[in-house]
Amino acid sequence: MDFRQIKEKIDAICKARGLEEYKMVFSGSSGLSASATGRAISDTSIEVSSALTFTAVVNGRGGSSSTNIFDDESLEALVDSAIDNGSSLEGKSKCYIFEGSPSYESIPECSYQEPEMSQIVDKVLEIQNQMLDADPRVQEGSDSTIFSEKSTICLANSKGLLLENTCGSTGYYQSAVVKEGEEVKLGMDIAIRDINEIKLDNCVNEAIAKLGSGPTKTRKANIVMSSDCMRMMLSAFSPIFFGRYATLGMSLLKDKEGQSIASPVVTLVDDPFEATSPCPIQFDADGVATYRKSIIEKGILKTLLYSISSAEEAGKKTTGNSGPFLGAEGTSLFSFYLEAGDKTEDELYALAGDDGICVKEMKGLHAGANASTGDFSIECAGFEISGGKLGKSVTSFTISGNFYELLKSIEALGDKVEFGTPHGYTRIGSPSALIRDISIAG
Amino acid sequence: MLSKSLINEVLDAALSTGADFAEVFLENTEDKYIQMVDNAIHRIQGSTVCGMGLRIYKGLRTVYGSTGDLSPNGVLSLARNVAGVFSDAPTTQRTEFAERIPANISPVKIVSSSISNKRKIDLVRKANDAARAYNSEISQVQTTYLDTDRRFWIANSEGLYTADRQIRTRLSCSATASRGSENQSGFYGPGRQAGLEVFLEQIDPADIGREAARIAMVNINAGYCKAGQYPVAIENAFGGVIFHEATGHSLEATQVAYGVSEFCGKIGQLVANPKVTAIDDGTIPNAWGSINIDDEGRPGQRNVLIENGVLKSYMIDTFNARRMEGFKPTGNARRQNFSFAPTSRMTNTYIAPGTDSDEDIIGSIEYGLYAKNMGGGSVNPAT
């Protein structure tokens, strides 16, 4: 069903209920994917989905409910449920219906053309065969997937605001399993890319380089954290930059704006229009115009991230970071990344010195990283750094410390930012980083 | 949700291009989420997820499609698109439905989704108040209530027609203790496959708040552990998560069927200390992971995975059973929702009791660590 038809029905239901303030966000998406294992396609999928989140303002607070059924009865139940939810809310947190920003960034109309399933199938078999042929140690259990998704977000509210954004992208991931003797290692590539530009990248070489790995000794050492791993750390600890977390005392950055919280080489940015983003977006879940901002600039905390509601609670202005679009109100990131430094990878290894470690792989951040305390203890794999150069592969060691301290211990950053695959409109990026004196348990 | 005749039309369309198996999965799930933070009910969110997943097999290839449009046009269009991935003549005819009604191993006394927000909020408030009263250094408390009411129907071309309803209820509390510039947290969040009676009659919500606060206070008074290698004794109960993560996932057919688990080809071999017997049991009444039927319609089972150190079984869904010659599905199929094809996953996994007492285990360690609780973890099954 077309969103405008749904909106008209909901407007009528709200009018009948006497509900004056409300907003709704509709998401519609379609996706295709194909995966190959061995030398054959193992599975393909076709997805068409849609969902609607409705928020009713009751006594100044927003109760919400969501559904993916759009018949009259379900839409009435949706509105009634949101009103019921809103009537039980308490506390200082208010819900504001926004009349719209004076202007919104102009972004090109989405021209993304979804590939045909046959094109996806042919390409995924091509890169799977490239992977299997790359080295005799690559196992049949290695797999490749190519996916395509196109989605539209529509936001409307009782003040007449109506905003829409459509984006789409194709991406892939490849997981290379290599075996030598009894030792098995894994290498992985994952990226958003035009289907015609997808080809075997680095996963086989990465897996082979890990062969022959051993333990490392317990010590404090300088580490070079790969861009992948830095990105995972930023993702795990991103809530400390949310204004609401700080207001609630769950981030130690409350009232630290203007203070030094990180090394001077650190500039942390959130940018809805980052040049390589497949999904630029001109509004947040409140309908506020989005914009690029530095959260940390040369080590100084410039701002936390706010929605209208969380900004009001903290006595600040919204930064256009309300989200997610579907579900209850919170804080969202767009392209959230550490700006690049000026060092090549080799220069970072050289700066690490004689007894360093390059961390290339992390596991279990959902359990080993605590955003409310900043503490982390994470299983890693990587390479020793000896004489300023990468040495032997090492595995099953743990790095531990505190993220707030880690920000201050970043001594240098690599010259290339790499982004992970997007989750909705959020993607996180980082260059590699040289970090001093991290505790390592071998 | 759909008439049997429409489901038959969907299955026929799905089989029309050479698939040898087709399966329809229909779902209607209602969730309720209530969160209290800063002493106030901050968020109440309800959601309904409803739709159809359609899967076909052709040998070792599978095609999956999903849609939230349950109109005849919507589901038949999906069936044609899914079938369109193949282009052969039909090879398999649908078998007439023989309806099965699963036995209910997890009785529910009070259906959570039928109860007002107010009664649920009372439970949340009890947990919150108990956590805050525990110690003056508890600076923040976040309490969350969640209930899920999942109804699903499964029909396939082999004549299966069945349905079930899974109701789960959870109350969790996260307490933050603050001292100077340091925060530490504690979390406790029991849940059951049951209704609201869990927190009205069986578990006192105040105990949940106190336990979260107690953990936070232990952590704020704790020092940091010196990095190194230690002998470790692991507490029972949630300590079993180390088996779940480090071994359980590697025994799922998702990995084993593709040869990317360290346990491939090791049935009958000693893979653990003979003291270790590991079990995945989907038949424990009202346990969180229990199932009357799995997401392919097979009854839940008790599967002994490792017995006295010897590998006995994997956890297998129907598609991966095709890849694993000599193995049958084990009632472990699960899907996140109708948008996802099922895969093999654990139900309730645990290590069976041994003969050593806690005192003997701790007494055997001259200097080491006692892991009282664990946050979870992850594993690379291939390595």
Side-chain angles (χ1 to χ4, degrees):
Chain A
M1 184 182 284
D2 179 76
F3 172 63
R4 281 161 182 80
Q5 288 177 277
I6 294 172
K7 179 184 174 305
E8 280 177 20
K9 286 187 178 185
I10 286 190
D11 285 339
I13 295 166
C14 292
K15 190 174 180 184
R17 302 287 191 278
L19 183 68
E20 293 181 351
E21 290 199 296
Y22 56 90
K23 64 180 176 180
M24 62 194 100
V25 178
F26 174 84
S27 163
S29 68
S30 58
L32 299 173
S33 72
S35 301
T37 307
R39 293 188 186 271
I41 294 292
S42 53
D43 57 83
T44 49
S45 73
I46 301 164
E47 182 182 355
V48 181
S49 68
S50 53
L52 177 73
T53 294
F54 176 81
T55 303
V57 181
V58 182
N59 302 323
R61 302 184 183 92
S64 54
S65 207
S66 62
T67 188
N68 67 340
I69 319 170
F70 307 120
D71 59 49
D72 293 354
E73 188 182 342
S74 299
L75 292 178
E76 289 202 18
L78 175 77
V79 173
D80 290 338
S81 167
I83 291 171
D84 183 40
N85 291 340
S87 65
S88 299
L89 294 174
E90 309 163 338
K92 293 174 282 187
S93 186
K94 300 286 182 183
C95 180
Y96 298 92
I97 301 301
F98 185 58
E99 68 275 13
S101 294
S103 64
Y104 294 87
E105 186 82 19
S106 173
I107 55 176
E109 190 172 337
C110 178
S111 58
Y112 179 70
Q113 294 290 323
E114 291 177 280
E116 297 289 330
M117 180 62 93
S118 59
Q119 202 181 353
I120 293 177
V121 164
D122 290 348
K123 178 58 82 170
V124 80
L125 282 173
E126 179 188 316
I127 61 170
Q128 175 73 3
N129 286 330
Q130 286 172 353
M131 178 164 61
L132 293 173
D133 293 339
D135 190 284
R137 289 168 290 185
V138 177
Q139 302 295 297
E140 292 282 308
S142 303
D143 64 280
S144 306
T145 294
I146 293 179
F147 53 89
S148 162
E149 186 179 16
K150 187 171 186 179
S151 63
T152 296
I153 285 280
C154 301
L155 182 152
N157 68 28
S158 52
K159 291 193 172 168
L161 189 65
L162 182 58
L163 297 164
E164 185 172 329
N165 179 280
T166 298
C167 70
S169 59
T170 304
Y172 79 106
Y173 60 84
Q174 280 196 288
S175 172
V177 180
V178 301
K179 188 172 183 185
E180 190 171 78
E182 287 304 304
E183 190 180 14
V184 177
K185 293 294 175 191
L186 204 68
M188 186 169 278
D189 288 318
I190 179 164
I192 296 296
R193 201 162 287 175
D194 183 280
I195 192 164
N196 296 311
E197 292 173 12
I198 294 175
K199 61 181 190 313
L200 176 67
D201 197 354
N202 193 47
C203 56
V204 173
N205 291 338
E206 179 192 327
I208 289 171
K210 291 177 183 173
L211 289 168
S213 66
T216 191
K217 61 182 185 291
T218 297
R219 64 197 189 275
K220 281 202 166 187
N222 300 330
I223 66 169
V224 174
M225 196 175 277
S226 69
S227 55
D228 276 356
C229 294
M230 274 304 289
R231 199 170 66 219
M232 290 165 76
M233 292 290 278
L234 280 176
S235 175
F237 288 102
S238 60
I240 71 171
F241 299 105
F242 296 175
R244 180 155 179 81
Y245 270 66
T247 302
L248 294 173
M250 293 159 71
S251 161
L252 297 176
L253 298 180
K254 186 180 181 185
D255 299 328
K256 295 272 177 73
E257 286 95 336
Q259 296 182 30
S260 172
I261 64 157
S263 150
V265 301
V266 171
T267 292
L268 180 66
V269 168
D270 185 56
D271 185 359
F273 310 106
E274 198 278 334
T276 62
S277 171
C279 292
I281 184 156
Q282 71 277 33
F283 57 90
D284 73 355
D286 285 332
V288 171
T290 52
Y291 61 96
R292 181 188 190 281
K293 66 205 67 86
S294 293
I295 299 154
I296 302 172
E297 193 170 297
K298 296 179 179 169
I300 307 295
L301 181 66
K302 305 301 280 187
T303 184
L304 298 177
L305 302 173
Y306 296 100
S307 63
I308 296 176
S309 166
S310 63
E312 202 259 351
E313 283 176 61
K316 309 278 185 186
K317 287 185 177 170
T318 175
T319 57
N321 285 93
S322 174
F325 285 100
L326 296 175
E329 188 201 317
T331 309
S332 264
L333 305 167
F334 299 104
S335 286
F336 177 77
Y337 65 98
L338 274 181
E339 278 195 343
D342 59 358
K343 301 288 187 280
T344 64
E345 291 286 310
D346 286 344
E347 287 170 338
L348 291 174
Y349 303 147
L351 286 167
D354 233 0
D355 189 27
I357 293 244
C358 177
V359 177
K360 286 277 195 184
E361 190 179 313
M362 288 177 162
K363 280 190 292 200
L365 267 86
H366 64 283
N370 185 332
S372 68
T373 65
D375 291 338
F376 62 85
S377 176
I378 300 163
E379 185 192 337
C380 300
F383 297 89
E384 288 192 340
I385 298 173
S386 180
K389 295 188 185 310
L390 282 191
K392 70 165 188 167
S393 168
V394 288
T395 189
S396 296
F397 61 93
T398 302
I399 64 166
S400 58
N402 184 280
F403 186 72
Y404 294 100
E405 294 304 316
L406 180 145
L407 285 173
K408 294 174 185 164
S409 304
I410 297 174
E411 188 164 299
L413 290 166
D415 56 8
K416 187 180 173 194
V417 176
E418 292 189 15
F419 284 92
T421 51
H423 293 275
Y425 290 90
T426 299
R427 62 184 197 140
I428 295 177
S430 178
S432 300
L434 170 66
I435 306 165
R436 289 286 176 202
D437 290 334
I438 291 290
S439 182
I440 292 167
Chain B
M1 296 202 357
L2 295 188
S3 68
K4 282 184 182 172
S5 63
L6 183 53
I7 291 172
N8 278 334
E9 280 187 69
V10 169
L11 291 173
D12 286 341
L15 292 169
S16 65
T17 56
D20 59 64
F21 173 84
E23 173 198 69
V24 164
F25 180 88
L26 293 156
E27 178 184 8
N28 188 331
T29 295
E30 289 183 26
D31 291 335
K32 176 71 77 173
Y33 176 90
I34 299 174
Q35 184 190 62
M36 175 174 242
V37 63
D38 221 18
N39 272 325
I41 297 295
H42 167 65
R43 179 178 295 171
I44 305 180
Q45 169 86 19
S47 73
T48 301
V49 170
C50 182
M52 184 183 88
L54 174 64
R55 179 169 63 156
I56 58 175
Y57 298 162
K58 187 178 180 191
L60 295 181
R61 190 169 166 186
T62 175
V63 183
Y64 195 79
S66 65
T67 181
D69 180 357
L70 295 184
S71 68
N73 276 344
V75 295
L76 288 170
S77 168
L78 177 72
R80 287 189 289 270
N81 286 337
V82 165
V85 172
F86 302 134
S87 55
D88 297 328
T91 59
T92 304
Q93 282 203 322
R94 161 178 63 75
T95 303
E96 189 181 341
F97 289 140
E99 187 166 350
R100 291 187 211 160
I101 300 174
N104 184 15
I105 62 164
S106 297
V108 171
K109 200 166 158 187
I110 304 171
V111 175
S112 305
S113 59
S114 69
I115 302 299
S116 69
N117 287 338
K118 184 182 175 307
R119 287 184 74 187
K120 297 169 186 175
I121 289 169
D122 289 343
L123 303 175
V124 169
R125 202 179 303 280
K126 276 185 190 170
N128 173 77
D129 293 351
R132 287 190 173 273
Y134 188 84
N135 192 291
S136 60
E137 287 183 305
I138 297 297
S139 59
Q140 189 54 271
V141 176
Q142 189 166 296
T143 307
T144 302
Y145 168 89
L146 176 71
D147 66 52
T148 296
D149 189 346
R150 181 184 191 234
R151 300 167 202 241
F152 62 97
W153 297 257
I154 302 169
N156 69 32
S157 56
E158 294 173 347
L160 175 72
Y161 184 94
T162 191
D164 199 17
R165 184 174 182 183
Q166 295 170 343
I167 292 174
R168 291 185 170 89
T169 309
R170 179 183 287 278
L171 184 62
S172 60
C173 185
S174 173
T176 302
S178 299
R179 187 179 294 162
S181 61
E182 185 186 1
N183 277 355
Q184 287 296 337
S185 62
F187 173 84
Y188 186 52
R192 300 263 170 89
Q193 179 148 179
L196 206 63
E197 69 274 11
V198 177
F199 301 109
L200 292 172
E201 300 169 4
Q202 297 161 17
I203 300 173
D204 183 351
D207 287 344
I208 296 170
R210 278 191 286 269
E211 177 64 3
R214 185 194 66 77
I215 294 168
M217 288 309 300
V218 166
N219 288 341
I220 199 99
N221 288 314
Y224 285 93
C225 176
K226 189 177 175 190
Q229 288 193 336
Y230 300 92
V232 178
I234 298 174
E235 172 107 341
N236 63 0
F238 199 64
V241 75
I242 197 165
F243 173 78
H244 170 103
E245 298 290 354
T247 307
H249 284 303
S250 298
L251 294 172
E252 293 165 348
T254 315
Q255 304 298 329
V256 179
Y258 295 89
V260 286
S261 163
E262 69 268 45
F263 292 112
C264 288
K266 292 189 178 172
I267 292 286
Q269 294 182 27
L270 192 70
V271 296
N273 187 297
K275 288 176 182 285
V276 174
T277 291
I279 295 163
D280 182 76
D281 189 353
T283 67
I284 303 168
N286 296 110
W288 181 263
S290 292
I291 47 174
N292 297 323
I293 53 172
D294 72 0
D295 285 351
E296 293 175 333
R298 291 178 182 276
Q301 288 180 206
R302 181 180 186 273
N303 298 304
V304 178
L305 305 171
I306 297 171
E307 189 170 31
N308 300 325
V310 175
L311 183 62
K312 292 290 188 181
S313 176
Y314 303 116
M315 291 166 280
I316 308 168
D317 57 283
T318 58
F319 179 68
N320 284 315
R322 287 187 171 208
R323 290 186 165 270
M324 297 168 64
E325 204 172 322
F327 290 91
K328 290 182 175 171
T330 56
N332 285 92
R334 197 169 81 207
R335 51 185 112 204
Q336 187 171 324
N337 62 39
F338 74 88
S339 299
F340 295 83
T343 191
S344 52
R345 285 292 177 265
M346 288 170 267
T347 56
N348 306 295
T349 317
Y350 62 96
I351 303 286
T355 54
D356 300 302
S357 69
D358 288 1
E359 290 75 18
D360 288 344
I361 292 170
I362 294 167
S364 71
I365 298 173
E366 188 175 331
Y367 184 77
L369 298 175
Y370 183 71
K372 170 75 179 163
N373 209 341
M374 294 193 176
S378 67
V379 65
N380 182 339
T383 62

